Amino acid sequence: MDRNQSPQGETAQILVEFLEVAITSVVFLKGVYPSGAFERRRYMNVVVQKARHPELQQYIHSTVNGLLPFIQKGLVERVAVVFSDSNNVPLERFVFKINVNQSYGLKLEEADLEFSLKSFLIKLPLSQSMMKVLPPDCRWEITAYFRALPQSSTSKDAEIWVPTDTQQWQQAPLITPIKSMSSEPLGVQLYLEHPSLSEPKA
């Protein structure tokens, strides 16, 4: 960790590392790939799953790390893992709602932050009963929701982000909270979204 970084820079770095591990855990728990595509490792002193397949590992790593400059500036509101059917209609969303306090100027208490984030990794496997069983032909993607769209003309980092092809629900989704934390300068909420019972069927 670069000790000359701002608290926002340090926080964004810790958050990006956490999101990479948490998103890999979500994909593992959903059973989209055989369990052999993952291997056990320790992170924040918790046993987690790491993707063994190079393309899977690279997709998650590069996507989440591509958000780093935007998280530092407070531009990213939510990061979601969206599972959809073969028609690109969402079946389930795991949403990480994030807030990095841009006015925080004190020294970052890294241990406190990591302790709070660790609880998400412990809670995730315990929330499997809330999750939907996915069809065998499902697909998934990582989607970021920005508070303000970064300008691709002024930032090379923005060029890797493209609009999603996944359809949006017409009705407000059903939300199931999983975990939340607030440890300055970071706030994170994790919740599940499912289509409303009144959502028109595709």
Side-chain angles (χ1 to χ4, degrees), residues 42-56:
R42 277 186 121 37
Y43 173 75
M44 292 183 180
N45 215 23
V46 178
V47 175
V48 295
Q49 299 294 328
K50 181 181 190 303
R52 293 178 62 188
H53 192 285
E55 287 181 24
L56 174 59

PDB file of all heavy atoms in Angstrom, residues 42-56:
ATOM      1  N   ARG A  42      -6.692 -18.066   1.195  1.00  0.00           N
ATOM      2  CA  ARG A  42      -7.044 -17.237   2.339  1.00  0.00           C
ATOM      3  C   ARG A  42      -6.934 -15.771   1.953  1.00  0.00           C
ATOM      4  O   ARG A  42      -5.994 -15.357   1.295  1.00  0.00           O
ATOM      5  CB  ARG A  42      -6.112 -17.522   3.513  1.00  0.00           C
ATOM      6  CG  ARG A  42      -6.557 -18.740   4.324  1.00  0.00           C
ATOM      7  CD  ARG A  42      -5.719 -18.941   5.572  1.00  0.00           C
ATOM      8  NE  ARG A  42      -6.347 -18.936   6.862  1.00  0.00           N
ATOM      9  CZ  ARG A  42      -7.518 -19.420   7.195  1.00  0.00           C
ATOM     10  NH1 ARG A  42      -8.287 -19.924   6.300  1.00  0.00           N
ATOM     11  NH2 ARG A  42      -7.966 -19.383   8.413  1.00  0.00           N
ATOM     12  N   TYR A  43      -7.928 -14.989   2.378  1.00  0.00           N
ATOM     13  CA  TYR A  43      -7.922 -13.542   2.150  1.00  0.00           C
ATOM     14  C   TYR A  43      -8.548 -12.894   3.373  1.00  0.00           C
ATOM     15  O   TYR A  43      -9.629 -13.302   3.798  1.00  0.00           O
ATOM     16  CB  TYR A  43      -8.723 -13.213   0.883  1.00  0.00           C
ATOM     17  CG  TYR A  43      -8.915 -11.733   0.640  1.00  0.00           C
ATOM     18  CD1 TYR A  43      -7.867 -10.941   0.177  1.00  0.00           C
ATOM     19  CD2 TYR A  43     -10.138 -11.125   0.884  1.00  0.00           C
ATOM     20  CE1 TYR A  43      -8.040  -9.586  -0.038  1.00  0.00           C
ATOM     21  CE2 TYR A  43     -10.323  -9.771   0.666  1.00  0.00           C
ATOM     22  CZ  TYR A  43      -9.271  -9.008   0.210  1.00  0.00           C
ATOM     23  OH  TYR A  43      -9.443  -7.655   0.005  1.00  0.00           O
ATOM     24  N   MET A  44      -7.847 -11.942   3.973  1.00  0.00           N
ATOM     25  CA  MET A  44      -8.309 -11.330   5.228  1.00  0.00           C
ATOM     26  C   MET A  44      -8.575 -12.410   6.281  1.00  0.00           C
ATOM     27  O   MET A  44      -9.513 -12.324   7.066  1.00  0.00           O
ATOM     28  CB  MET A  44      -9.565 -10.485   5.005  1.00  0.00           C
ATOM     29  CG  MET A  44      -9.352  -9.239   4.181  1.00  0.00           C
ATOM     30  SD  MET A  44     -10.880  -8.282   4.055  1.00  0.00           S
ATOM     31  CE  MET A  44     -10.348  -6.896   3.053  1.00  0.00           C
ATOM     32  N   ASN A  45      -7.779 -13.468   6.228  1.00  0.00           N
ATOM     33  CA  ASN A  45      -7.882 -14.583   7.175  1.00  0.00           C
ATOM     34  C   ASN A  45      -9.210 -15.345   7.072  1.00  0.00           C
ATOM     35  O   ASN A  45      -9.663 -15.955   8.039  1.00  0.00           O
ATOM     36  CB  ASN A  45      -7.656 -14.097   8.618  1.00  0.00           C
ATOM     37  CG  ASN A  45      -6.922 -15.149   9.428  1.00  0.00           C
ATOM     38  OD1 ASN A  45      -6.228 -16.002   8.878  1.00  0.00           O
ATOM     39  ND2 ASN A  45      -7.076 -15.111  10.729  1.00  0.00           N
ATOM     40  N   VAL A  46      -9.839 -15.297   5.903  1.00  0.00           N
ATOM     41  CA  VAL A  46     -11.066 -16.048   5.631  1.00  0.00           C
ATOM     42  C   VAL A  46     -10.778 -16.951   4.433  1.00  0.00           C
ATOM     43  O   VAL A  46     -10.105 -16.536   3.486  1.00  0.00           O
ATOM     44  CB  VAL A  46     -12.240 -15.095   5.284  1.00  0.00           C
ATOM     45  CG1 VAL A  46     -13.498 -15.884   4.947  1.00  0.00           C
ATOM     46  CG2 VAL A  46     -12.506 -14.123   6.409  1.00  0.00           C
ATOM     47  N   VAL A  47     -11.291 -18.179   4.462  1.00  0.00           N
ATOM     48  CA  VAL A  47     -11.133 -19.076   3.308  1.00  0.00           C
ATOM     49  C   VAL A  47     -12.105 -18.624   2.221  1.00  0.00           C
ATOM     50  O   VAL A  47     -13.313 -18.533   2.452  1.00  0.00           O
ATOM     51  CB  VAL A  47     -11.398 -20.545   3.694  1.00  0.00           C
ATOM     52  CG1 VAL A  47     -11.351 -21.429   2.453  1.00  0.00           C
ATOM     53  CG2 VAL A  47     -10.386 -21.021   4.720  1.00  0.00           C
ATOM     54  N   VAL A  48     -11.563 -18.299   1.042  1.00  0.00           N
ATOM     55  CA  VAL A  48     -12.373 -17.839  -0.085  1.00  0.00           C
ATOM     56  C   VAL A  48     -12.002 -18.659  -1.324  1.00  0.00           C
ATOM     57  O   VAL A  48     -11.107 -19.501  -1.272  1.00  0.00           O
ATOM     58  CB  VAL A  48     -12.141 -16.329  -0.351  1.00  0.00           C
ATOM     59  CG1 VAL A  48     -12.616 -15.488   0.820  1.00  0.00           C
ATOM     60  CG2 VAL A  48     -10.671 -16.047  -0.662  1.00  0.00           C
ATOM     61  N   GLN A  49     -12.690 -18.386  -2.414  1.00  0.00           N
ATOM     62  CA  GLN A  49     -12.423 -19.079  -3.675  1.00  0.00           C
ATOM     63  C   GLN A  49     -11.698 -18.142  -4.638  1.00  0.00           C
ATOM     64  O   GLN A  49     -12.046 -16.958  -4.734  1.00  0.00           O
ATOM     65  CB  GLN A  49     -13.732 -19.551  -4.317  1.00  0.00           C
ATOM     66  CG  GLN A  49     -14.511 -20.537  -3.471  1.00  0.00           C
ATOM     67  CD  GLN A  49     -13.813 -21.863  -3.289  1.00  0.00           C
ATOM     68  OE1 GLN A  49     -13.093 -22.329  -4.170  1.00  0.00           O
ATOM     69  NE2 GLN A  49     -14.023 -22.496  -2.141  1.00  0.00           N
ATOM     70  N   LYS A  50     -10.724 -18.689  -5.345  1.00  0.00           N
ATOM     71  CA  LYS A  50     -10.002 -17.939  -6.387  1.00  0.00           C
ATOM     72  C   LYS A  50     -10.211 -18.668  -7.706  1.00  0.00           C
ATOM     73  O   LYS A  50     -10.163 -19.889  -7.759  1.00  0.00           O
ATOM     74  CB  LYS A  50      -8.509 -17.889  -6.043  1.00  0.00           C
ATOM     75  CG  LYS A  50      -7.655 -17.111  -7.049  1.00  0.00           C
ATOM     76  CD  LYS A  50      -6.189 -17.137  -6.617  1.00  0.00           C
ATOM     77  CE  LYS A  50      -5.324 -16.207  -7.420  1.00  0.00           C
ATOM     78  NZ  LYS A  50      -5.339 -16.412  -8.852  1.00  0.00           N
ATOM     79  N   ALA A  51     -10.495 -17.912  -8.763  1.00  0.00           N
ATOM     80  CA  ALA A  51     -10.693 -18.529 -10.076  1.00  0.00           C
ATOM     81  C   ALA A  51      -9.384 -19.113 -10.583  1.00  0.00           C
ATOM     82  O   ALA A  51      -8.351 -18.448 -10.552  1.00  0.00           O
ATOM     83  CB  ALA A  51     -11.234 -17.494 -11.056  1.00  0.00           C
ATOM     84  N   ARG A  52      -9.427 -20.372 -11.031  1.00  0.00           N
ATOM     85  CA  ARG A  52      -8.231 -21.011 -11.596  1.00  0.00           C
ATOM     86  C   ARG A  52      -8.151 -20.800 -13.100  1.00  0.00           C
ATOM     87  O   ARG A  52      -7.065 -20.747 -13.662  1.00  0.00           O
ATOM     88  CB  ARG A  52      -8.255 -22.522 -11.305  1.00  0.00           C
ATOM     89  CG  ARG A  52      -8.113 -22.860  -9.829  1.00  0.00           C
ATOM     90  CD  ARG A  52      -8.202 -24.341  -9.594  1.00  0.00           C
ATOM     91  NE  ARG A  52      -7.123 -25.070 -10.277  1.00  0.00           N
ATOM     92  CZ  ARG A  52      -7.046 -26.386 -10.368  1.00  0.00           C
ATOM     93  NH1 ARG A  52      -7.996 -27.129  -9.835  1.00  0.00           N
ATOM     94  NH2 ARG A  52      -6.052 -26.968 -10.982  1.00  0.00           N
ATOM     95  N   HIS A  53      -9.322 -20.698 -13.751  1.00  0.00           N
ATOM     96  CA  HIS A  53      -9.321 -20.549 -15.206  1.00  0.00           C
ATOM     97  C   HIS A  53      -8.804 -19.152 -15.564  1.00  0.00           C
ATOM     98  O   HIS A  53      -9.344 -18.149 -15.088  1.00  0.00           O
ATOM     99  CB  HIS A  53     -10.736 -20.743 -15.754  1.00  0.00           C
ATOM    100  CG  HIS A  53     -10.771 -20.898 -17.232  1.00  0.00           C
ATOM    101  ND1 HIS A  53     -10.590 -19.826 -18.088  1.00  0.00           N
ATOM    102  CD2 HIS A  53     -10.942 -21.988 -18.022  1.00  0.00           C
ATOM    103  CE1 HIS A  53     -10.665 -20.256 -19.332  1.00  0.00           C
ATOM    104  NE2 HIS A  53     -10.878 -21.567 -19.324  1.00  0.00           N
ATOM    105  N   PRO A  54      -7.762 -19.064 -16.401  1.00  0.00           N
ATOM    106  CA  PRO A  54      -7.138 -17.754 -16.669  1.00  0.00           C
ATOM    107  C   PRO A  54      -8.101 -16.705 -17.216  1.00  0.00           C
ATOM    108  O   PRO A  54      -8.052 -15.540 -16.814  1.00  0.00           O
ATOM    109  CB  PRO A  54      -6.041 -18.082 -17.702  1.00  0.00           C
ATOM    110  CG  PRO A  54      -5.792 -19.545 -17.562  1.00  0.00           C
ATOM    111  CD  PRO A  54      -7.076 -20.152 -17.104  1.00  0.00           C
ATOM    112  N   GLU A  55      -9.019 -17.091 -18.126  1.00  0.00           N
ATOM    113  CA  GLU A  55      -9.925 -16.097 -18.717  1.00  0.00           C
ATOM    114  C   GLU A  55     -10.943 -15.590 -17.704  1.00  0.00           C
ATOM    115  O   GLU A  55     -11.279 -14.405 -17.684  1.00  0.00           O
ATOM    116  CB  GLU A  55     -10.629 -16.681 -19.943  1.00  0.00           C
ATOM    117  CG  GLU A  55      -9.704 -16.829 -21.148  1.00  0.00           C
ATOM    118  CD  GLU A  55     -10.422 -17.381 -22.366  1.00  0.00           C
ATOM    119  OE1 GLU A  55     -11.658 -17.230 -22.464  1.00  0.00           O
ATOM    120  OE2 GLU A  55      -9.738 -17.964 -23.228  1.00  0.00           O
ATOM    121  N   LEU A  56     -11.442 -16.488 -16.863  1.00  0.00           N
ATOM    122  CA  LEU A  56     -12.381 -16.093 -15.815  1.00  0.00           C
ATOM    123  C   LEU A  56     -11.689 -15.165 -14.815  1.00  0.00           C
ATOM    124  O   LEU A  56     -12.213 -14.098 -14.467  1.00  0.00           O
ATOM    125  CB  LEU A  56     -12.931 -17.333 -15.104  1.00  0.00           C
ATOM    126  CG  LEU A  56     -13.821 -17.088 -13.888  1.00  0.00           C
ATOM    127  CD1 LEU A  56     -15.045 -16.270 -14.252  1.00  0.00           C
ATOM    128  CD2 LEU A  56     -14.228 -18.429 -13.257  1.00  0.00           C
TER     129      LEU A  56
END
